[in-house]
PDB file of all heavy atoms in Angstrom:
ATOM      1  N   VAL A   1      39.155 -46.566  86.546  1.00 92.00           N
ATOM      2  CA  VAL A   1      38.078 -47.026  87.424  1.00 92.00           C
ATOM      3  C   VAL A   1      37.965 -48.559  87.301  1.00 92.00           C
ATOM      4  O   VAL A   1      38.358 -49.131  86.282  1.00 92.00           O
ATOM      5  CB  VAL A   1      36.700 -46.365  87.081  1.00 92.00           C
ATOM      6  CG1 VAL A   1      36.728 -44.887  87.246  1.00 92.00           C
ATOM      7  CG2 VAL A   1      36.236 -46.748  85.684  1.00 92.00           C
ATOM      8  N   ASP A   2      37.417 -49.136  88.342  1.00 91.00           N
ATOM      9  CA  ASP A   2      37.307 -50.587  88.391  1.00 91.00           C
ATOM     10  C   ASP A   2      35.892 -51.034  88.006  1.00 91.00           C
ATOM     11  O   ASP A   2      34.916 -50.597  88.613  1.00 91.00           O
ATOM     12  CB  ASP A   2      37.614 -51.083  89.823  1.00 91.00           C
ATOM     13  CG  ASP A   2      37.388 -52.570  89.960  1.00 91.00           C
ATOM     14  OD1 ASP A   2      38.119 -53.321  89.306  1.00 91.00           O
ATOM     15  OD2 ASP A   2      36.480 -52.991  90.693  1.00 91.00           O
ATOM     16  N   MET A   3      35.800 -51.884  86.992  1.00 88.00           N
ATOM     17  CA  MET A   3      34.529 -52.491  86.634  1.00 88.00           C
ATOM     18  C   MET A   3      34.592 -53.973  87.004  1.00 88.00           C
ATOM     19  O   MET A   3      34.954 -54.808  86.189  1.00 88.00           O
ATOM     20  CB  MET A   3      34.222 -52.329  85.140  1.00 88.00           C
ATOM     21  CG  MET A   3      33.315 -51.181  84.811  1.00 88.00           C
ATOM     22  SD  MET A   3      32.820 -51.184  83.064  1.00 88.00           S
ATOM     23  CE  MET A   3      31.506 -52.394  83.068  1.00 88.00           C
ATOM     24  N   ASN A   4      34.301 -54.247  88.271  1.00 83.00           N
ATOM     25  CA  ASN A   4      34.227 -55.640  88.734  1.00 83.00           C
ATOM     26  C   ASN A   4      35.510 -56.395  88.413  1.00 83.00           C
ATOM     27  O   ASN A   4      35.490 -57.492  87.833  1.00 83.00           O
ATOM     28  CB  ASN A   4      33.010 -56.319  88.106  1.00 83.00           C
ATOM     29  CG  ASN A   4      32.525 -57.525  88.891  1.00 83.00           C
ATOM     30  OD1 ASN A   4      33.073 -57.825  89.937  1.00 83.00           O
ATOM     31  ND2 ASN A   4      31.531 -58.198  88.392  1.00 83.00           N
ATOM     32  N   GLY A   5      36.643 -55.781  88.780  1.00 85.00           N
ATOM     33  CA  GLY A   5      37.928 -56.435  88.560  1.00 85.00           C
ATOM     34  C   GLY A   5      38.578 -56.111  87.232  1.00 85.00           C
ATOM     35  O   GLY A   5      39.717 -56.507  86.971  1.00 85.00           O
ATOM     36  N   TYR A   6      37.868 -55.372  86.354  1.00 89.00           N
ATOM     37  CA  TYR A   6      38.424 -55.002  85.057  1.00 89.00           C
ATOM     38  C   TYR A   6      38.706 -53.493  85.058  1.00 89.00           C
ATOM     39  O   TYR A   6      37.829 -52.689  85.397  1.00 89.00           O
ATOM     40  CB  TYR A   6      37.415 -55.349  83.958  1.00 89.00           C
ATOM     41  CG  TYR A   6      37.943 -55.084  82.564  1.00 89.00           C
ATOM     42  CD1 TYR A   6      38.943 -55.892  82.008  1.00 89.00           C
ATOM     43  CD2 TYR A   6      37.417 -54.045  81.802  1.00 89.00           C
ATOM     44  CE1 TYR A   6      39.436 -55.650  80.728  1.00 89.00           C
ATOM     45  CE2 TYR A   6      37.901 -53.794  80.525  1.00 89.00           C
ATOM     46  CZ  TYR A   6      38.888 -54.610  79.986  1.00 89.00           C
ATOM     47  OH  TYR A   6      39.390 -54.340  78.724  1.00 89.00           O
ATOM     48  N   LEU A   7      39.920 -53.120  84.722  1.00 91.00           N
ATOM     49  CA  LEU A   7      40.328 -51.703  84.757  1.00 91.00           C
ATOM     50  C   LEU A   7      39.905 -50.962  83.484  1.00 91.00           C
ATOM     51  O   LEU A   7      40.247 -51.408  82.376  1.00 91.00           O
ATOM     52  CB  LEU A   7      41.852 -51.589  84.934  1.00 91.00           C
ATOM     53  CG  LEU A   7      42.407 -50.158  84.948  1.00 91.00           C
ATOM     54  CD1 LEU A   7      41.999 -49.441  86.226  1.00 91.00           C
ATOM     55  CD2 LEU A   7      43.935 -50.158  84.772  1.00 91.00           C
ATOM     56  N   ILE A   8      39.187 -49.877  83.656  1.00 91.00           N
ATOM     57  CA  ILE A   8      38.864 -48.968  82.551  1.00 91.00           C
ATOM     58  C   ILE A   8      39.778 -47.760  82.679  1.00 91.00           C
ATOM     59  O   ILE A   8      39.640 -46.968  83.634  1.00 91.00           O
ATOM     60  CB  ILE A   8      37.380 -48.488  82.596  1.00 91.00           C
ATOM     61  CG1 ILE A   8      36.417 -49.679  82.637  1.00 91.00           C
ATOM     62  CG2 ILE A   8      37.069 -47.566  81.441  1.00 91.00           C
ATOM     63  CD1 ILE A   8      36.318 -50.483  81.363  1.00 91.00           C
ATOM     64  N   PRO A   9      40.747 -47.579  81.773  1.00 91.00           N
ATOM     65  CA  PRO A   9      41.682 -46.454  81.929  1.00 91.00           C
ATOM     66  C   PRO A   9      40.970 -45.108  81.718  1.00 91.00           C
ATOM     67  O   PRO A   9      40.232 -44.932  80.719  1.00 91.00           O
ATOM     68  CB  PRO A   9      42.704 -46.682  80.803  1.00 91.00           C
ATOM     69  CG  PRO A   9      42.452 -48.090  80.320  1.00 91.00           C
ATOM     70  CD  PRO A   9      41.028 -48.405  80.595  1.00 91.00           C
ATOM     71  N   ILE A  10      41.142 -44.180  82.652  1.00 90.00           N
ATOM     72  CA  ILE A  10      40.597 -42.815  82.539  1.00 90.00           C
ATOM     73  C   ILE A  10      41.667 -41.874  83.069  1.00 90.00           C
ATOM     74  O   ILE A  10      42.344 -42.164  84.066  1.00 90.00           O
ATOM     75  CB  ILE A  10      39.300 -42.658  83.346  1.00 90.00           C
ATOM     76  CG1 ILE A  10      38.180 -43.546  82.752  1.00 90.00           C
ATOM     77  CG2 ILE A  10      38.817 -41.203  83.363  1.00 90.00           C
ATOM     78  CD1 ILE A  10      36.907 -43.592  83.534  1.00 90.00           C
ATOM     79  N   GLU A  11      41.836 -40.742  82.405  1.00 89.00           N
ATOM     80  CA  GLU A  11      42.881 -39.791  82.793  1.00 89.00           C
ATOM     81  C   GLU A  11      42.711 -39.330  84.218  1.00 89.00           C
ATOM     82  O   GLU A  11      41.580 -39.100  84.686  1.00 89.00           O
ATOM     83  CB  GLU A  11      42.850 -38.543  81.864  1.00 89.00           C
ATOM     84  CG  GLU A  11      43.027 -38.868  80.395  1.00 89.00           C
ATOM     85  CD  GLU A  11      41.700 -39.043  79.685  1.00 89.00           C
ATOM     86  OE1 GLU A  11      40.776 -39.588  80.319  1.00 89.00           O
ATOM     87  OE2 GLU A  11      41.575 -38.645  78.526  1.00 89.00           O
ATOM     88  N   ARG A  12      43.832 -39.143  84.896  1.00 87.00           N
ATOM     89  CA  ARG A  12      43.814 -38.752  86.309  1.00 87.00           C
ATOM     90  C   ARG A  12      43.182 -37.386  86.525  1.00 87.00           C
ATOM     91  O   ARG A  12      42.442 -37.171  87.487  1.00 87.00           O
ATOM     92  CB  ARG A  12      45.249 -38.730  86.840  1.00 87.00           C
ATOM     93  CG  ARG A  12      45.354 -38.402  88.335  1.00 87.00           C
ATOM     94  CD  ARG A  12      46.800 -38.483  88.811  1.00 87.00           C
ATOM     95  NE  ARG A  12      47.274 -39.848  88.809  1.00 87.00           N
ATOM     96  CZ  ARG A  12      48.520 -40.203  89.132  1.00 87.00           C
ATOM     97  NH1 ARG A  12      49.397 -39.291  89.474  1.00 87.00           N
ATOM     98  NH2 ARG A  12      48.884 -41.460  89.108  1.00 87.00           N
ATOM     99  N   ASP A  13      43.420 -36.453  85.595  1.00 87.00           N
ATOM    100  CA  ASP A  13      42.860 -35.106  85.806  1.00 87.00           C
ATOM    101  C   ASP A  13      41.329 -35.097  85.688  1.00 87.00           C
ATOM    102  O   ASP A  13      40.671 -34.235  86.271  1.00 87.00           O
ATOM    103  CB  ASP A  13      43.477 -34.078  84.819  1.00 87.00           C
ATOM    104  CG  ASP A  13      43.236 -34.443  83.360  1.00 87.00           C
ATOM    105  OD1 ASP A  13      42.937 -35.631  83.113  1.00 87.00           O
ATOM    106  OD2 ASP A  13      43.333 -33.552  82.502  1.00 87.00           O
ATOM    107  N   VAL A  14      40.763 -36.043  84.949  1.00 89.00           N
ATOM    108  CA  VAL A  14      39.296 -36.173  84.892  1.00 89.00           C
ATOM    109  C   VAL A  14      38.765 -36.685  86.219  1.00 89.00           C
ATOM    110  O   VAL A  14      37.838 -36.143  86.785  1.00 89.00           O
ATOM    111  CB  VAL A  14      38.879 -37.115  83.742  1.00 89.00           C
ATOM    112  CG1 VAL A  14      37.392 -37.404  83.800  1.00 89.00           C
ATOM    113  CG2 VAL A  14      39.239 -36.504  82.393  1.00 89.00           C
ATOM    114  N   LEU A  15      39.369 -37.747  86.711  1.00 90.00           N
ATOM    115  CA  LEU A  15      38.925 -38.339  87.972  1.00 90.00           C
ATOM    116  C   LEU A  15      39.151 -37.397  89.156  1.00 90.00           C
ATOM    117  O   LEU A  15      38.441 -37.478  90.161  1.00 90.00           O
ATOM    118  CB  LEU A  15      39.649 -39.671  88.209  1.00 90.00           C
ATOM    119  CG  LEU A  15      39.343 -40.749  87.158  1.00 90.00           C
ATOM    120  CD1 LEU A  15      40.158 -42.009  87.424  1.00 90.00           C
ATOM    121  CD2 LEU A  15      37.865 -41.081  87.148  1.00 90.00           C
ATOM    122  N   ALA A  16      40.121 -36.484  89.017  1.00 88.00           N
ATOM    123  CA  ALA A  16      40.401 -35.534  90.106  1.00 88.00           C
ATOM    124  C   ALA A  16      39.207 -34.590  90.331  1.00 88.00           C
ATOM    125  O   ALA A  16      39.064 -33.982  91.410  1.00 88.00           O
ATOM    126  CB  ALA A  16      41.653 -34.743  89.800  1.00 88.00           C
ATOM    127  N   LYS A  17      38.348 -34.455  89.298  1.00 89.00           N
ATOM    128  CA  LYS A  17      37.171 -33.562  89.419  1.00 89.00           C
ATOM    129  C   LYS A  17      36.025 -34.230  90.187  1.00 89.00           C
ATOM    130  O   LYS A  17      35.066 -33.570  90.568  1.00 89.00           O
ATOM    131  CB  LYS A  17      36.645 -33.198  88.011  1.00 89.00           C
ATOM    132  CG  LYS A  17      37.640 -32.453  87.156  1.00 89.00           C
ATOM    133  CD  LYS A  17      37.054 -32.283  85.753  1.00 89.00           C
ATOM    134  CE  LYS A  17      38.087 -31.756  84.770  1.00 89.00           C
ATOM    135  NZ  LYS A  17      37.590 -31.770  83.387  1.00 89.00           N
ATOM    136  N   ALA A  18      36.122 -35.548  90.400  1.00 89.00           N
ATOM    137  CA  ALA A  18      35.053 -36.262  91.106  1.00 89.00           C
ATOM    138  C   ALA A  18      34.991 -35.816  92.571  1.00 89.00           C
ATOM    139  O   ALA A  18      36.009 -35.494  93.186  1.00 89.00           O
ATOM    140  CB  ALA A  18      35.293 -37.762  91.031  1.00 89.00           C
ATOM    141  N   THR A  19      33.776 -35.833  93.141  1.00 87.00           N
ATOM    142  CA  THR A  19      33.592 -35.365  94.519  1.00 87.00           C
ATOM    143  C   THR A  19      33.754 -36.468  95.549  1.00 87.00           C
ATOM    144  O   THR A  19      33.718 -36.214  96.730  1.00 87.00           O
ATOM    145  CB  THR A  19      32.200 -34.718  94.666  1.00 87.00           C
ATOM    146  OG1 THR A  19      31.215 -35.641  94.206  1.00 87.00           O
ATOM    147  CG2 THR A  19      32.096 -33.439  93.887  1.00 87.00           C
ATOM    148  N   GLY A  20      33.906 -37.722  95.125  1.00 86.00           N
ATOM    149  CA  GLY A  20      34.051 -38.819  96.065  1.00 86.00           C
ATOM    150  C   GLY A  20      34.950 -39.894  95.524  1.00 86.00           C
ATOM    151  O   GLY A  20      35.759 -39.656  94.612  1.00 86.00           O
ATOM    152  N   SER A  21      34.785 -41.129  96.003  1.00 89.00           N
ATOM    153  CA  SER A  21      35.614 -42.242  95.592  1.00 89.00           C
ATOM    154  C   SER A  21      35.034 -43.027  94.433  1.00 89.00           C
ATOM    155  O   SER A  21      35.608 -44.002  93.971  1.00 89.00           O
ATOM    156  CB  SER A  21      35.802 -43.192  96.786  1.00 89.00           C
ATOM    157  OG  SER A  21      34.532 -43.717  97.187  1.00 89.00           O
ATOM    158  N   LYS A  22      33.853 -42.567  93.941  1.00 91.00           N
ATOM    159  CA  LYS A  22      33.196 -43.264  92.813  1.00 91.00           C
ATOM    160  C   LYS A  22      32.852 -42.268  91.722  1.00 91.00           C
ATOM    161  O   LYS A  22      32.725 -41.063  91.968  1.00 91.00           O
ATOM    162  CB  LYS A  22      31.897 -43.941  93.292  1.00 91.00           C
ATOM    163  CG  LYS A  22      32.068 -44.967  94.398  1.00 91.00           C
ATOM    164  CD  LYS A  22      30.686 -45.431  94.883  1.00 91.00           C
ATOM    165  CE  LYS A  22      30.822 -46.307  96.126  1.00 91.00           C
ATOM    166  NZ  LYS A  22      29.513 -46.562  96.729  1.00 91.00           N
ATOM    167  N   VAL A  23      32.678 -42.783  90.532  1.00 92.00           N
ATOM    168  CA  VAL A  23      32.119 -42.032  89.409  1.00 92.00           C
ATOM    169  C   VAL A  23      31.033 -42.879  88.768  1.00 92.00           C
ATOM    170  O   VAL A  23      30.915 -44.082  89.065  1.00 92.00           O
ATOM    171  CB  VAL A  23      33.183 -41.636  88.348  1.00 92.00           C
ATOM    172  CG1 VAL A  23      34.136 -40.603  88.887  1.00 92.00           C
ATOM    173  CG2 VAL A  23      33.888 -42.882  87.825  1.00 92.00           C
ATOM    174  N   ILE A  24      30.267 -42.263  87.917  1.00 93.00           N
ATOM    175  CA  ILE A  24      29.247 -42.974  87.136  1.00 93.00           C
ATOM    176  C   ILE A  24      29.760 -43.047  85.701  1.00 93.00           C
ATOM    177  O   ILE A  24      30.091 -42.015  85.083  1.00 93.00           O
ATOM    178  CB  ILE A  24      27.901 -42.253  87.187  1.00 93.00           C
ATOM    179  CG1 ILE A  24      27.320 -42.279  88.623  1.00 93.00           C
ATOM    180  CG2 ILE A  24      26.916 -42.912  86.214  1.00 93.00           C
ATOM    181  CD1 ILE A  24      26.125 -41.389  88.791  1.00 93.00           C
ATOM    182  N   LEU A  25      29.826 -44.248  85.160  1.00 93.00           N
ATOM    183  CA  LEU A  25      30.152 -44.433  83.743  1.00 93.00           C
ATOM    184  C   LEU A  25      28.866 -44.539  82.965  1.00 93.00           C
ATOM    185  O   LEU A  25      27.960 -45.292  83.344  1.00 93.00           O
ATOM    186  CB  LEU A  25      30.981 -45.707  83.519  1.00 93.00           C
ATOM    187  CG  LEU A  25      32.327 -45.802  84.244  1.00 93.00           C
ATOM    188  CD1 LEU A  25      33.041 -47.085  83.817  1.00 93.00           C
ATOM    189  CD2 LEU A  25      33.201 -44.581  83.979  1.00 93.00           C
ATOM    190  N   GLY A  26      28.746 -43.782  81.886  1.00 95.00           N
ATOM    191  CA  GLY A  26      27.623 -43.878  80.980  1.00 95.00           C
ATOM    192  C   GLY A  26      28.071 -44.580  79.708  1.00 95.00           C
ATOM    193  O   GLY A  26      29.063 -44.145  79.082  1.00 95.00           O
TER     194      GLY A  26
END
C-alpha cells in the first residue's frame, strides 16, 4: 500500500481480501 509516496509492503493474498482499491492501516 502507498503511504504518501512511501511503500508499505503487504502480502498480495491479504490485499486480495479487500473490497475496494483502499485499505485501512491501523
Side-chain angles (χ1 to χ4, degrees):
V1 299
D2 174 65
M3 263 188 80
N4 203 2
Y6 184 71
L7 178 70
I8 305 290
I10 295 174
E11 301 94 324
R12 183 176 292 177
D13 60 340
V14 172
L15 296 177
K17 299 174 190 172
T19 53
S21 61
K22 300 173 189 171
V23 291
I24 294 170
L25 300 184

